[in-house]
Amino acid sequence: MADISLMVSQYGNYYRNNGTIGKNNLHRHVFDRTNTKKLFTIRPTDNTIIDNASIKVDDVVQAFYNKFSPKGKLTFTPNVWQLGHVKINDRIIPDEYAGTVLDFLNTKSPSRLDAPILALTTEYYLQKAQENIEDTIIFKGVKALPSTTDQNNGVAGTTIGARDGIRKVIRDYNTAGKLVDENGNSNVIVMGAMPTTPALMVEYIDTFYWALPELQRSMIKAIAVKKSAETLYKRGMSNKNQYYEKNSPSEFAYIENTDCAVVGLDSMTGSNMMWTSPSVNNIGFMKNGSNGGIMDIWQSGIYTVDIATDWWEGENFVTPQLVYVSDQDLSA
């Protein structure tokens, strides 16, 4: 649907082909692009259920003596998760633009499928979908379908309810007691409240990193935090290192003397959680992922046009026991 009330208020309920407003005067909305997915290896799939299993290997070496003595065990632990099925639906009425300053977006032919507003709408909706995923869904999402009555009446669902996000995944693993190492030690690192000053933020995030088990620490390449926390960390590091003016600010996004980056994510805005996992453990899947870049368009009525697309997607962790998280924002 469209809201052109402000345009009508400014220019009146009529159209003059005098160039007052044309396609070149419609300025593109600046969309936020997803950067959280860069922390995951995204793979195509034809499945909607993802099956994984982790293997724990008990100790096998022992002192030799002259009798066979079996030692060792493989323990297989399943980890199964479901992809989220998301969609874009809307109904466009090109005639809404007729007789207004935006009349050039209406069709001049009997078929409403020829209206230029269709191409404009689908282009913007597909870009907005990526912004929705980053800002609302990929971290904060908690799947919530409309009620049965609302579904029968075609009521749209909420964006945050489109599918489960990373925070929901981590919270569920924590509730299920899966955020533990092979010896049963908790992977939840007690940090207390997140500070609000640059110097303390450097100390806070550094403390989290050095609290990671030494073996896993060598495989950790990124600690995910909200964008403002990354900014404070950079400021704190620049204050700590007096040669800041001679270096790119990006150099201060790393834990000192390591190759582990402090990565600020737009998706985590408003959350004080910190989380990390070896990059090989971070995986996402998409079914019919190319549909996120195209729309089906059909004339649903004499004067109405419907647009739609849908696909499946989700991010998760192959082995929950390799996910490490601070003690903040772990409950809804």
Side-chain angles (χ1 to χ4, degrees):
M1 295 297 183
D3 182 355
I4 61 172
S5 58
L6 294 179
M7 299 296 288
V8 172
S9 176
Q10 177 69 34
Y11 295 103
N13 200 23
Y14 58 85
Y15 177 69
R16 281 197 307 249
N17 188 18
N18 60 3
T20 301
I21 291 288
K23 186 175 181 180
N24 292 335
N25 302 104
L26 300 177
H27 300 289
R28 182 182 300 271
H29 174 90
V30 179
F31 294 101
D32 187 15
R33 303 295 292 177
T34 182
N35 61 345
T36 303
K37 282 190 177 182
K38 293 179 181 179
L39 297 180
F40 292 80
T41 300
I42 307 297
R43 299 176 180 173
T45 182
D46 287 328
N47 303 318
T48 61
I49 292 287
I50 306 301
D51 297 293
N52 289 289
S54 58
I55 304 174
K56 176 187 174 184
V57 186
D58 286 3
D59 294 338
V60 296
V61 177
Q62 57 181 306
F64 179 84
Y65 67 94
N66 196 20
K67 186 173 179 64
F68 186 76
S69 54
K71 178 179 180 177
K73 183 175 69 173
L74 297 179
T75 302
F76 295 81
T77 304
N79 186 27
V80 181
W81 72 83
Q82 187 167 359
L83 300 185
H85 195 187
V86 300
K87 67 176 183 176
I88 304 172
N89 291 169
D90 203 9
R91 177 160 293 158
I92 301 172
I93 306 173
D95 293 272
E96 289 182 325
Y97 302 90
T100 74
V101 70
L102 297 174
D103 189 90
F104 64 93
L105 294 174
N106 191 17
T107 180
K108 294 182 179 179
S109 75
S111 173
R112 270 55 185 175
L113 290 174
D114 296 331
I117 187 58
L118 301 181
L120 183 72
T121 301
T122 55
E123 176 190 355
Y124 272 46
Y125 277 26
L126 291 171
Q127 293 183 67
K128 184 66 177 180
Q130 296 306 308
E131 182 178 81
N132 284 162
I133 289 170
E134 177 64 20
D135 292 350
T136 308
I137 300 171
I138 196 169
F139 181 74
K140 303 183 182 80
V142 178
K143 184 178 179 180
L145 289 170
S147 67
T148 302
T149 299
D150 283 349
Q151 290 184 52
N152 291 337
N153 292 329
V155 176
T158 63
T159 298
I160 199 170
R163 65 172 175 89
D164 287 344
I166 298 162
R167 182 172 62 181
K168 178 67 161 53
V169 169
I170 292 174
R171 285 174 172 176
D172 286 350
Y173 283 144
N174 184 52
T175 300
K178 294 184 177 181
L179 293 186
V180 294
D181 65 17
E182 60 182 18
N183 296 316
N185 301 311
S186 176
N187 289 356
V188 178
I189 299 173
V190 178
M191 297 296 302
M194 180 174 279
T196 57
T197 61
L200 290 178
M201 186 61 77
V202 171
E203 181 181 346
Y204 188 80
I205 296 178
D206 284 359
T207 298
F208 178 82
Y209 175 78
W210 293 109
L212 299 173
E214 185 173 1
L215 179 62
Q216 277 70 42
R217 197 163 60 226
S218 64
M219 299 185 290
I220 297 293
K221 304 303 179 185
I223 295 173
V225 298
K226 62 184 179 181
K227 200 75 172 179
S228 60
E230 179 200 32
T231 300
L232 284 175
Y233 188 85
K234 286 183 177 181
R235 287 175 56 195
M237 288 298 289
S238 68
N239 293 336
K240 184 178 178 181
N241 294 273
Q242 298 302 314
Y243 56 91
Y244 171 71
E245 296 296 334
K246 300 178 182 179
N247 295 271
S248 165
S250 64
E251 294 183 23
F252 298 98
Y254 287 84
I255 304 294
E256 196 167 17
N257 299 320
T258 77
D259 59 353
C260 178
V262 177
V263 181
L265 301 176
D266 292 329
S267 63
M268 293 183 65
T269 298
S271 172
N272 288 336
M273 179 185 286
M274 294 189 292
W275 65 269
T276 190
S277 171
S279 56
V280 295
N281 196 45
N282 307 342
I283 192 167
F285 287 92
M286 296 187 74
K287 174 180 169 64
N288 303 330
S290 61
N291 289 356
I294 57 175
M295 299 278 266
D296 190 15
I297 304 173
W298 70 97
Q299 192 159 340
S300 55
I302 298 175
Y303 303 116
T304 59
V305 178
D306 286 357
I307 60 175
T309 191
D310 66 284
W311 66 96
W312 300 75
E313 66 175 20
E315 299 77 29
N316 213 300
F317 305 96
V318 176
T319 305
Q321 291 77 15
L322 292 178
V323 178
Y324 299 87
V325 61
S326 67
D327 60 343
Q328 301 298 295
D329 200 18
L330 265 181
S331 59

